[in-house]
Amino acid sequence: MPTSTTLTGRAGYLDHSLDSKVVLPADERFDQARLAWNLAVDQRPAAVVFPESAADVAAAVRYAAQRGLRVAAQGTGHNAGPLGPLAHTLLVRTDKMRGIWIDPQARTARVEAGVVWLDVVQAAAQHGLAALAGSSPNVGVTGYTLGGGLSFLGRKYGLAASNVQAIDVVTADGTLVRADRDHEPDLFWALRGGGGSFGVVTALEFALFPITQAYAGVLWYPIGRGSEVLHAWAELTRGSVPDELTTVGRFVNFPPIPQIPEPIRGQSFVIVEAYHLDDPAQADQLLGPLRALGPVNDTIATVPVPALSHLHMDPEQPVPGKGDGMMIDQLPSEAIDAFVQAAGAHAAFPLTTVELRHLGGELARPRPHNGALSSLEGQYLVFAAGSTPLPELTALVTAQVEAVKRALVPWAARQMYLNFAETRHPAAPFWTAHAYQRLRQIKANVDPGDIIRSNHPIPPAAR
Ligand SMILES: Cc1cc2nc3c(=O)[nH]c(=O)nc-3n(C[C@H](O)[C@H](O)[C@H](O)COP(=O)(O)OP(=O)(O)OC[C@H]3O[C@@H](n4cnc5c(N)ncnc54)[C@H](O)[C@@H]3O)c2cc1C
């Protein structure tokens, strides 16, 4: 394997199209180029390349092959944690590939690999359309969709991956192919929920939905009321909830930093978020018992769809942090008690967020035309995370994330959700056993040398 030094020495062999787009370790731009959105991840690749087109991506894959390097694609670095050491790896950063095309008649979007969700949400809204974006405005569309894509509209419309119509991808041999139902159907299936092991995606095409507004917002309570609020929330989710309503039960501990608005800075709450796509009266009826508990603030109102990208209050700038998730089959009372004890007012350490997202609905229906991640088997998703601006916080946050997960093990689902796995996990539980075997076979067909590195890698099947 070449070292960074030999790479620098061989710079004369660069494809001319990439000349100014490769950043080597000796370059003064290198420290900026290797930054992930999660600032806690210290990425040290052999080189970083910033392609501006699909042709550049193909040239970058050839560039890596000529030098015996592996290839890791990265949009933002939101989930860079599990990637591991990047020595002997070319990091392909797609930040500069930001084209968006909306077809209002067909209700579709075509986006380049480096696009982040808020840009699509806003472009689609100009045509009265909504995309299956997640909670964060600046998560990358590509990484999110390859991992499945859990939106607050997902109980109604399913995973983002299930609504993809075509994907352009450069495979390990440097070939640009279009994968859709009629072309490269195996690859198309694998890319929809199988993660980033199959090539470097250059563009995606997916469905949009004719929605302009939602009835959505947050019920806020003092953190000390965690038990009664989350018991009432769990009761709501156990009933007959229409697919149009998605709720989240959550503890939040806002750090005392200027980026947090004054009224909530440094404060702790238990909150319930609601996202509803039908008549507000229906949601009001379902949320009645939670409102009867007397929230200190109730922001639920009819809002334009782009407002949903900020409602969950995810950080909108890069931050250092540690987090992890798991899925839960059922939430009986004992599970809520365990959750409140581990994550509530008396938690051993206050994490920024510890949340329970209600799944089910269309997310749980495995349709034959869906991809590798056909459905989410668990009824709830847990995600716990804390920021680590000081090195000494890393161990505390990591231990607390693990403590929350441990408390919920008795109710854990078999399946794990790739996008919310921010540490290295065995890959098999992300899919059904059959899907995992098929993914390994497809990986062996398209990338037998395991050149393409994903944050949650799938090993090629043995031949
Ligand atoms: C604050 C926050 C909020 C989140 N909210 C949600 C949510 O609501 N719903 C949800 O489902 N997930 C959510 N996530 C998880 C998120 O979807 C994953 O972290 C996802 O991997 C991010 O994609 P990215 O491209 O931004 O990240 P990156 O770290 O850049 O990419 C992650 C992986 O995706 C693959 N990848 C990225 N680009 C390419 C490419 N061009 N070609 C091939 N592979 C590629 C690679 O394997 C890469 O390692 C959230 C994460 C955070 C930190």
Side-chain angles (χ1 to χ4, degrees):
M1 287 281 183
T3 63
S4 305
T5 324
T6 57
L7 265 178
T8 315
R10 292 176 185 184
Y13 292 110
L14 287 178
D15 283 277
H16 283 306
S17 59
L18 288 182
D19 269 354
S20 58
K21 299 166 192 164
V22 175
V23 184
L24 298 169
D27 193 313
E28 62 183 19
R29 298 170 298 167
F30 190 68
D31 279 343
Q32 181 65 33
R34 68 187 182 86
L35 275 185
W37 183 89
N38 185 342
L39 299 171
V41 184
D42 183 20
Q43 308 194 107
R44 294 185 180 274
V48 188
V49 61
F50 291 88
E52 294 175 14
S53 64
D56 279 356
V57 171
V61 172
R62 287 195 301 272
Y63 170 88
Q66 284 158 11
R67 291 158 181 80
L69 298 175
R70 299 182 72 197
V71 172
Q74 189 163 80
T76 65
H78 269 82
N79 204 345
L83 255 179
L86 289 174
H88 312 306
T89 299
L90 175 66
L91 185 64
V92 180
R93 291 280 323 199
T94 57
D95 309 47
K96 297 197 169 164
M97 298 175 65
R98 302 290 285 262
I100 300 177
W101 297 267
I102 306 290
D103 182 336
Q105 269 72 46
R107 292 185 185 155
T108 55
R110 176 180 170 82
V111 308
E112 285 188 308
V115 166
V116 298
W117 268 119
L118 187 62
D119 292 345
V120 186
V121 166
Q122 289 176 335
Q126 289 176 16
H127 301 282
L129 297 169
L132 296 183
S135 59
S136 161
N138 52 14
V139 152
V141 174
T142 304
Y144 169 98
T145 306
L146 294 179
L150 173 62
S151 168
F152 292 127
L153 312 185
R155 278 176 44 82
K156 171 83 176 160
Y157 296 109
L159 290 165
S162 307
N163 289 280
V164 169
Q165 295 166 350
I167 302 183
D168 294 352
V169 57
V170 173
T171 48
D173 61 1
T175 313
L176 175 64
V177 298
R178 178 180 171 86
D180 61 22
R181 280 188 208 294
D182 302 322
H183 309 91
E184 306 288 348
D186 279 350
L187 188 54
F188 184 54
W189 175 87
L191 289 166
R192 288 177 296 144
S197 293
F198 302 93
V200 182
V201 168
T202 61
L204 294 147
E205 293 172 20
F206 49 85
L208 301 172
F209 301 91
I211 305 166
T212 55
Q213 54 187 34
Y215 186 59
V218 182
L219 302 174
W220 299 77
Y221 309 83
I223 192 166
R225 300 189 67 191
S227 180
E228 55 182 322
V229 170
L230 291 180
H231 275 290
W233 169 76
E235 185 63 31
L236 159 68
T237 62
R238 285 184 214 118
S240 156
V241 184
D243 292 356
E244 286 75 15
L245 178 65
T246 298
T247 54
V248 180
R250 185 178 182 198
F251 288 111
V252 283
N253 297 287
F254 294 106
I257 55 171
Q259 290 89 329
I260 305 290
E262 181 104 49
I264 55 174
R265 188 181 302 159
Q267 309 278 323
S268 297
F269 299 91
V270 57
I271 65 176
V272 173
E273 296 169 23
Y275 304 80
H276 185 248
L277 298 174
D278 206 336
D279 181 356
Q282 183 188 50
D284 286 341
Q285 193 195 346
L286 290 159
L287 295 168
L290 281 157
R291 282 194 164 122
L293 293 177
V296 292
N297 196 6
D298 174 350
T299 67
I300 299 175
T302 299
V303 295
V305 161
L308 303 185
S309 294
H310 306 284
L311 207 150
H312 193 68
M313 301 169 283
D314 279 340
E316 303 202 3
Q317 299 299 327
V319 287
K322 291 276 177 196
D324 214 7
M326 67 193 287
M327 280 200 286
I328 298 284
D329 276 331
Q330 288 172 4
L331 266 185
S333 286
E334 306 80 57
I336 291 294
D337 290 341
F339 183 75
V340 171
Q341 194 176 351
H346 304 294
F349 185 83
L351 294 174
T352 314
T353 179
V354 190
E355 61 196 71
L356 285 159
R357 298 189 186 191
H358 187 207
L359 305 176
E362 184 61 16
L363 294 165
R365 298 180 192 121
R367 309 275 185 199
H369 56 261
N370 289 354
L373 186 64
S374 185
S375 62
L376 295 181
E377 294 166 16
Q379 286 299 306
Y380 301 87
L381 183 132
V382 182
F383 185 66
S387 61
T388 55
L390 303 169
E392 55 269 33
L393 290 175
T394 303
L396 289 167
V397 170
T398 305
Q400 181 61 15
V401 168
E402 288 306 312
V404 171
K405 285 167 53 189
R406 236 183 356 262
L408 292 169
V409 161
W411 302 278
R414 179 208 67 86
Q415 190 187 38
M416 294 192 58
Y417 178 46
L418 185 151
N419 277 358
F420 280 96
E422 294 199 352
T423 56
R424 237 339 143 82
H425 292 274
F430 293 133
W431 303 280
T432 64
H434 178 261
Y436 182 57
Q437 288 314 319
R438 188 174 167 196
L439 286 167
R440 290 197 62 191
Q441 203 58 57
I442 295 169
K443 173 74 173 175
N445 292 342
V446 297
D447 183 16
D450 202 12
I451 301 297
I452 307 292
R453 289 188 58 174
S454 165
N455 56 352
H456 291 296
I458 294 174
R463 297 200 165 242

